[in-house]
């Protein structure tokens, strides 16, 4: 089972994205992004739950 939940909105993610991606990978998960010009981006952290 995977739990996917959008991350908190932010205007400037800074170093948080690379760190989040690395942590997700270490937990056998993924950090996903959906982006549209003029609409912004949505980042979703997916990690497996046992």
């Amino acid at each position: 089972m995977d739990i996917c939940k959008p991350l908190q909105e932010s205007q400037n993610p800074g170093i948080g994205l690379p760190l989040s991606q690395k942590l997700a990978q270490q937990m056998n998960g993924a950090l996903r992004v959906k982006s549209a010009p003029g609409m912004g981006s949505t980042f979703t952290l997916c990690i497996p739950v046992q």
Side-chain angles (χ1 to χ4, degrees):
M1 173 195 309
D2 281 345
I3 294 177
C4 295
K5 182 177 182 179
L7 299 176
Q8 183 176 359
E9 291 183 26
S10 174
Q11 294 296 321
N12 183 7
I15 194 165
L17 283 175
L19 180 59
S20 296
Q21 183 177 23
K22 185 171 184 172
L23 288 171
Q25 291 171 346
Q26 289 177 350
M27 294 185 289
N28 296 319
L31 185 62
R32 299 179 184 159
V33 62
K34 284 187 179 181
S35 185
M39 297 297 292
S41 302
T42 299
F43 296 87
T44 306
L45 174 64
C46 298
I47 54 174
V49 176
Q50 296 185 9

